[in-house]
Amino acid sequence: MPSTSVLLVEDETIIAMELEQTLQDLGHLVVARVTTGEAAIEAAARHNPELVLMDIRLAGRLSGVEAAAVILSRRRLPLIFLTAYSDDLSLQSAKNLDACGFLLKPVNHSELHVSIEIALHKFAAEKALLDQQEWLTETLRSLTEGVICTDRKGATTLINARAEALTGRRASEATGRDAAELFPIVRFLPSANSGHPVLQALETGKPVFDNPLSLVPTGPKPLPLKSTAAPVLSAGGDLLGAVWTLEDLSAEYAADRRLQLNRSNDLCQRSTQLLRNLEVLQSELLGPLNEDQVMVLDMLRDDTGTLHLDADRLRLCLQLEEEGELLALPQDVPRVLSGVAASLRPLLGHKQLVPRLALPTGPGPFIEVNEDLLFHLLTSLTEGLIEQATPGTTFDLACTADLEKVTISLEVTTANDTRKLHDQFNSSATLPLPNLQEHELPSGDHFALARHFGTYLDLLPRLETTGPNTLAAIVELPRLSASR
């Protein structure tokens, strides 16, 4: 057996001398022999022994158990307790320190030899296990993907640092809780997967792939995520749990939008140049066009205008990306509408309007839309409506949903002719929007601005008369479903 450096702590001189001699006979090196707990702590720090033999009862201020606790708190190493009484009152306290062995004095040669062998082997095995656990922990921490592990019932057992950042949940609050309830998801696109990825993996015993999806946000903004959930099986095929990985796709989405913008700009330039060439050809060579030629030229102008609008949408999308936003992500409608109502409260108070909210409770319904654009759309609609509102009446902000769509309604009572408001709304122009910064937004007609944001969101708000002198602005969006 290789030589082991030993710190011997025994306050009975004769027993200490016998133990030291036995240790030397076994081929070990006694680096220090001390009689008190205080001296043991100092010797352990000075000599860095590979093993400690510690008497439980020591003379002095510190007992052997107390000295061992200090030594082990500073450095992990194998420790064997010595005691003269099998029913020593301090024995239970010593067990709590997870010592590698206990010897009853007097100690014979063979007992000491076996105890040291077992203690060193046990410590080496525990150290190897701890080193492996530390390696796994550090590996998980260094991964760029979020990793969430569960047991066979779906309870969270591990969540790495990246998953904490993606989910907004700390490991301390996630451990032991049901992963499907703690991390509900919203799928971007129709999918054959209907349930929560973790539950599906546990139930089917097969990997579940989703790309893309989003977690129902616990923070201010959701993210597009690549999701893979897989069952964890033992060597015998028994289900042990599941591992769920999440990868942020924001950078890929931004790169895709930049590519789309480059292509869109190229189409715009080609279409614009073609239109100019035709106009020059018409004015300088062909003279007046017939009816069919005029129609073709008008169609080309319309197509060119559409191409420019698509390019503007993509350009706005990239601007939002640089500001940390994404154009189309799952949003919790009640959360968005509550923010709209809070921002409008001072203006409603100034107009002496009483705000009333009728919103669903709990998370959802969910829509796929840029939150900032929807916010500007709804606030612009509201400002256009309350300019005509009668002081002292109510302002209702409501949300309803069916299986396919979410309907947002903004309703006020007005003293003015509702037909004029309809005409004003329907005749509102939409102009290019250069920037989302508040001070750079177009001013003037709120309805024009609302229709403008609707154009960028690819939806058109409408006005309805819901009662005598009562107008409602209606916005409808496709609904997403959340999986738990």
Side-chain angles (χ1 to χ4, degrees), residues 333-349 353-359 374-375 378-379 382 395-398 408 410:
V333 177
R335 182 179 66 84
V336 175
L337 296 186
S338 295
V340 171
S343 69
L344 292 171
R345 201 170 296 276
L347 184 59
L348 295 172
L353 298 178
V354 181
R356 298 189 304 192
L357 301 183
L359 306 179
L374 180 62
F375 180 88
L378 295 177
T379 52
T382 303
F395 167 78
D396 293 300
L397 175 58
I408 300 171
L410 306 157

Side-chain angles (χ1 to χ4, degrees), residues 378-398:
L378 295 177
T379 52
S380 298
L381 281 175
T382 303
E383 289 172 356
L385 288 172
I386 65 177
E387 279 189 347
Q388 312 296 331
T390 305
T393 59
T394 57
F395 167 78
D396 293 300
L397 175 58

Side-chain angles (χ1 to χ4, degrees), residues 38-53:
E38 294 84 352
I41 295 171
E42 182 180 348
R46 183 185 310 118
H47 297 288
N48 292 320
E50 298 170 295
L51 175 75
V52 176
L53 281 178

Side-chain angles (χ1 to χ4, degrees), residues 23-255:
L23 289 168
Q24 292 172 350
D25 292 343
L26 291 172
H28 301 299
L29 173 65
V30 178
V31 294
R33 192 183 81 193
V34 297
T35 59
T36 66
E38 294 84 352
I41 295 171
E42 182 180 348
R46 183 185 310 118
H47 297 288
N48 292 320
E50 298 170 295
L51 175 75
V52 176
L53 281 178
M54 176 80 72
D55 190 5
I56 287 181
R57 288 188 174 184
L58 293 173
R61 184 172 58 86
L62 296 178
S63 69
V65 175
E66 292 169 329
V70 174
I71 293 171
L72 294 178
S73 69
R74 297 176 178 177
R75 175 177 162 233
R76 285 191 56 81
L77 77 164
L79 186 144
I80 298 174
F81 279 115
L82 304 171
T83 180
Y85 306 96
S86 59
D87 60 345
D88 197 306
L89 295 179
S90 300
L91 193 58
Q92 187 58 46
S93 298
K95 289 180 180 178
N96 293 335
L97 290 178
D98 194 26
C100 290
F102 295 86
L103 284 173
L104 186 64
K105 295 188 291 185
V107 180
N108 63 43
H109 184 283
S110 60
E111 288 176 343
L112 184 59
H113 172 69
V114 171
S115 293
I116 291 177
E117 285 271 320
I118 292 175
L120 293 174
H121 177 76
K122 177 184 177 183
F123 178 78
E126 290 177 348
K127 185 177 184 302
L129 180 60
L130 289 173
D131 288 345
Q132 184 181 32
Q133 290 176 341
E134 183 179 3
W135 183 87
L136 288 172
T137 300
E138 292 305 317
T139 299
L140 288 173
R141 182 177 291 114
S142 64
L143 290 176
T144 57
E145 297 87 3
V147 179
I148 299 171
C149 298
T150 77
D151 61 18
R152 62 173 62 90
K153 295 182 179 180
T156 306
T157 57
L158 182 146
I159 173 172
N160 73 346
R162 183 56 179 155
E164 287 184 328
L166 292 174
T167 64
R169 300 283 191 180
R170 303 291 298 174
S172 56
E173 66 172 311
T175 303
R177 296 178 62 182
D178 186 278
E181 292 184 0
L182 191 63
F183 309 112
I185 61 106
V186 179
R187 289 185 170 89
F188 280 55
L189 303 172
S191 171
N193 302 321
S194 57
H196 194 282
V198 171
L199 295 183
Q200 280 189 268
L202 291 173
E203 291 169 1
T204 64
K206 298 178 181 180
V208 179
F209 303 97
D210 274 297
N211 184 17
L213 57 73
S214 174
L215 297 170
V216 175
T218 55
K221 302 294 178 187
L223 292 170
L225 301 170
K226 177 181 179 181
S227 162
T228 303
V232 178
L233 306 177
S234 69
D238 296 326
L239 181 65
L240 302 178
V243 59
W244 186 24
T245 61
L246 299 169
E247 181 181 355
D248 185 3
L249 298 178
S250 300
E252 293 181 24
Y253 272 43

